[in-house]
Structures are given as C-alpha cells and as structure tokens.
Amino acid sequence: NKRMIYQLTGIIFQIIIDVGAFLGYSRALDWKKARQRPIKYSNFDIWIHASSLGEYWMVHNLIRDFEKKGEKVFVSIFSPSAWEIVSKNEKYCGFIPIDRQKEIHHFVETINPKFVVIAKYDLWPVLSNVLYNKKIPYVIAFSQFHEHHHTLWKWNFLENKIYRRALGVGHQTQKSLKLWQKSNFSNGFFCGDGRFDSIYHFRKKWTPLDEIDVFKGESKLFVLGSSWPREESMTIPLIPKLSEVKFVIAPHRHQRASEIIKILDVPYILMSEINIYEKQELIKSRVLIVDTMGQLKNIYGHSDFTFIGGGFQNGLHNILEALIFGNIITFGPKIKGHWEASECKADVLGINSDSETLMQWLSNLIDLDEKSLKQKISSGQDFVNKNIGATARVMKFIGTNIN
C-alpha cells in the first residue's frame, strides 16, 4: 500500500518519541507536549518551515522580506528548543505535527497556505504528498548535500520522488548544486546560506550591553560559546592562569549552567541577573555564565576570542555570529557538513587537544602584534560579508517561478 509506505517514517518516529517519553527522556516529553498546542490561525499566503533554531535563523530574513511585501506568513518549527525565540519573534507560529496522514492533512487544511518554503531538508513524505495533492507548490531553501547523502541514493525512491516534486531546491554551495545535478535532479539552483544575511542584519542593529562593558573593563574577553563538557574541561583550567582575560561560558543547553557553577572556584556572575549586580561585583567577577537563551550573539559584540562548541561532539554550532563581530575563533575538528567552518580560515583544534593546546592558542593571540591581529579580525568579517545575498536569491527564484 503506497499510503502506508509514505507514512512509515512518521510512524517510526512516533514510536521512538513514545518510547522516549515513557522512559522519561525530557526531549521526548517536550516534543509530545509541544504538539498539544492548537493552531489558531488560518489562510496564509506563505508557510515557512524550519526544523530547529539554526534553520530558523536561515529563513529569518526570508520571513521579514515576505512580510514587507504584505504577505501573511505562518512559521512552523519541529524542535521545541527553538520555541522560546521563535514565539517571541513571530506573530503566527506553531509546531509541525507528526508526519502522518490525519495530522498533516488537518494541519495543512487549517493554515491553508498558497505556497510553502522548507528550510534545508526537513521535507517529510506525507507532507510532500498532501501538498502535491492539494496543488500547493513548495520550495526547499538553503539545502546542503554531501556525496553520500541518503537523498542522493539511487534506490531511495521515496526521497527522490518528494524532492523532484519541489518547484526548486536551493543550495548553499555550488559543490552541493553540482552533486544534485549529477544525481539527475533538474530543479536545483544556487542560493547560499541565509544565516549570513540574518547575522549581517543583526550586526547592523546591535547595541552594546553596558553591564558587559563594565564586566570586561580593560581585559580581553574570551567566550566559550554553545559548549559541551569536553570544551568546558579545556577552558576552565585557563581561568586562574590568565588574570588579564575575562571569560564567558555559554553552555549549549543553558539549563546546564548549574553544573558549571559547581566546578568554578572564581567569582562569577549570571546573565539572568546581569541587571541587578552592583558595579563593583561586575568588575570583580572573572566569569560570566550565560544561563539564558538568545543572548550569546549579543555578547559576541564585546568579545575578542571565541571557542565555539560542538566540534568535539556531534557537530559544530554557529560560528558566523562570532565572526561578524570580528572575534578570532577556534573549534574542534568535527566540521563535516559545515562548509563555512573549512572556508573561514579559522584555527581548527585537533581531536586530542586539551587545556594546554587551548592555552597555547590563546597566548599566541594575546602576544600577537597589532597588524597581524587586525588581519585576523577582518578576515572573519570579510568572509561573512562576501557570503550575504542568499535570501535575495531565494526571493528572486520564487518571484520568477510563481508569478
């Protein structure tokens, strides 16, 4: 039965979520709870879907551009961790349901979009089927495929079919587009990565935070951004050794702030309480712990050096936010699928790096002459500036192919 095959991925995912929730895993419980929110809005010009926060920042400027044209936009997400920021930013938003016929059909009927944009590759079989049968065109924006990606497997008839139905599949790099064409897809186009546009516009509107200026004082500021325990264990031993440097630690899951506090033996402050500290307390503190969501990219406007997390884990986190502000950055070696990490000319730490390696990297930068330091700062900013324009390319493709 064809319909059953299309529903298979949704059914398998539902089983995984149900088992996870039964066993008490917080992420599975959050996912189920999020799906209980009813969708109260209908009749949209555009529906834009982003899986998680990273993808949301890719489409952020696209949403704003459609709204400037007077279009009514609905934004959906898959991951509950993105809700806090998305719900603050978007008037009409909600969670995409599980990929099963009844749920998806009801969802699409409710929001009733004329056109759909999906970020990167969060395209599901039932979703594609429902849109196709209702003659609602869809575009995939900011996708990035590598040589052995499952979508490109010849025998993967299901994904092959749902991607061929797309009006267009926009690629972040020319390399990805060439692979797409080589795999006999004819609907590819080059767009770039929308995160460059998003962070470029954020930088233009950014204003300094007075309390961070006071905390930093005359010191250099080192940020450990979106960190996991491995990166924290490399960074924390440096704090007592480098009295001329102040530190910011922003764990990837901000709920982990309490774990970090337990292992610190220097004066610290919390981002959630930044407004209530006395000036002297800010000056005296050596570490700022970011225990809130969405503030890290504001802090990059104050910092000098950044160690981005995820590169020793299961994938690097956002490096562009630090680069646009002229931070000199480093990260671990697991950067597969992150073309921006290999092209930005940053120093990559080896898999066996430890606290000493990081100390060496930081000391070398502190001792660097003014001219070399300026070159390093501007090369990161130039890299971001060179790659803006992805949103405009997607808008142009849609304008040309829809009207």
Side-chain angles (χ1 to χ4, degrees):
N1 181 300
K2 229 181 208 178
R3 183 178 274 194
M4 188 64 187
I5 292 168
Y6 273 88
Q7 293 206 71
L8 206 55
T9 46
I11 291 166
I12 292 165
F13 187 79
Q14 181 76 66
I15 292 165
I16 293 165
I17 288 290
D18 286 344
V19 171
F22 177 75
L23 295 171
Y25 287 106
S26 60
R27 291 173 89 167
L29 289 163
D30 289 349
W31 198 93
K32 284 192 79 140
K33 195 177 161 192
R35 265 68 201 167
Q36 287 158 13
R37 288 174 187 272
I39 303 295
K40 301 172 190 151
Y41 323 107
S42 60
N43 299 327
F44 288 89
D45 299 307
I46 312 280
W47 165 25
I48 296 182
H49 174 65
S51 175
S52 62
L53 197 56
E55 283 80 25
Y56 169 69
W57 290 123
M58 281 180 185
V59 295
H60 182 260
N61 278 44
L62 204 58
I63 299 163
R64 301 287 85 88
D65 281 7
F66 277 124
E67 286 175 341
K68 278 177 200 158
K69 291 177 76 178
E71 310 280 16
K72 188 181 175 189
V73 183
F74 182 81
V75 180
S76 68
I77 54 170
F78 182 83
S79 167
S81 61
W83 182 250
E84 195 181 320
I85 285 172
V86 174
S87 59
K88 260 184 209 159
N89 286 349
E90 304 304 333
K91 188 179 176 184
Y92 305 113
C93 57
F95 289 95
I96 194 169
I98 194 89
D99 196 54
R100 294 201 317 212
Q101 187 65 31
K102 186 184 162 198
E103 287 88 341
I104 291 290
H105 188 269
H106 174 71
F107 184 80
V108 175
E109 286 270 293
T110 304
I111 61 171
N112 192 24
K114 293 176 189 163
F115 184 74
V116 181
V117 180
I118 294 161
K120 216 167 178 189
Y121 19 59
D122 206 39
L123 176 64
W124 293 69
V126 173
L127 171 60
S128 166
N129 237 9
V130 169
L131 295 176
Y132 182 74
N133 291 333
K134 285 181 169 292
K135 296 185 169 51
I136 300 169
Y138 60 88
V139 158
I140 315 293
F142 317 124
S143 66
Q144 176 66 8
F145 295 94
H146 54 81
E147 209 148 348
H148 304 292
H149 198 282
H150 50 81
T151 305
L152 306 178
W153 295 344
K154 278 192 172 68
W155 53 267
N156 188 352
F157 70 93
L158 191 59
E159 281 196 295
N160 263 258
K161 190 171 182 178
I162 66 177
Y163 276 91
R164 284 183 202 285
R165 285 172 175 173
L167 184 68
V169 177
H171 294 259
Q172 290 184 28
T173 61
Q174 293 288 357
K175 190 180 174 185
S176 175
L177 176 58
K178 285 193 179 97
L179 268 176
W180 192 249
Q181 291 163 340
K182 207 172 116 184
S183 304
N184 296 319
F185 288 93
S186 58
N187 57 354
F189 67 99
F190 170 73
C191 59
D193 183 343
R195 289 177 307 163
F196 286 92
D197 300 332
S198 171
I199 200 61
Y200 175 78
H201 285 277
F202 175 79
R203 170 73 185 90
K204 279 177 24 181
K205 291 187 299 189
W206 177 82
T207 52
L209 299 163
D210 293 343
E211 293 85 357
I212 309 279
D213 274 338
V214 174
F215 164 71
K216 182 181 178 180
E218 297 300 309
S219 306
K220 291 288 185 187
L221 189 58
F222 175 96
V223 172
L224 175 56
S226 294
S227 64
W228 295 88
R230 169 74 191 267
E231 290 112 358
E232 289 149 16
S233 69
M234 291 167 68
T235 304
I236 289 167
L238 306 191
I239 300 168
K241 295 176 187 171
L242 292 164
S243 56
E244 72 275 35
V245 178
K246 290 220 176 178
F247 290 79
V248 174
I249 302 176
H252 181 60
R253 302 193 71 192
H254 62 276
Q255 301 87 340
R256 288 189 50 250
S258 55
E259 291 173 31
I260 293 159
I261 290 165
K262 281 177 196 159
I263 48 176
L264 282 182
D265 54 2
V266 291
Y268 67 86
I269 50 172
L270 297 173
M271 191 68 202
S272 59
E273 296 172 6
I274 196 85
N275 300 321
I276 61 171
Y277 292 109
E278 296 288 329
K279 190 177 178 182
Q280 272 315 105
E281 224 172 333
L282 294 170
I283 293 167
K284 202 175 75 207
S285 295
R286 292 292 318 284
V287 182
L288 165 63
I289 297 172
V290 183
D291 57 342
T292 55
M293 204 171 171
Q295 283 287 14
L296 181 57
K297 60 182 181 178
N298 280 307
I299 294 167
Y300 286 137
H302 297 267
S303 54
D304 303 285
F305 314 118
T306 298
F307 181 12
I308 310 273
F312 291 98
Q313 192 81 8
N314 45 13
L316 187 64
H317 298 302
N318 194 324
I319 65 169
L320 305 180
E321 296 168 345
L323 286 175
I324 191 70
F325 283 106
N327 282 226
I328 299 170
I329 68 168
T330 192
F331 40 79
K334 292 190 180 178
I335 57 173
K336 189 183 174 184
H338 293 273
W339 64 271
E340 72 281 10
S342 41
E343 286 190 23
C344 73
K345 298 189 175 77
D347 302 314
V348 183
L349 298 169
I351 196 73
N352 298 317
S353 297
D354 56 12
S355 197
E356 284 303 308
T357 323
L358 189 62
M359 179 72 167
Q360 193 60 59
W361 177 77
L362 196 49
S363 303
N364 289 347
L365 288 174
I366 290 166
D367 296 340
L368 211 56
D369 64 273
E370 197 65 32
K371 190 186 173 189
S372 307
L373 201 61
K374 274 188 174 146
Q375 275 174 341
K376 273 188 171 287
I377 290 166
S378 61
S379 84
Q381 289 175 313
D382 292 346
F383 172 71
V384 177
N385 293 333
K386 196 177 76 187
N387 282 288
I388 59 173
T391 304
R393 289 184 203 106
V394 174
M395 290 296 284
K396 187 181 175 186
F397 178 87
I398 292 168
T400 309
N401 288 278
I402 285 292
N403 302 327

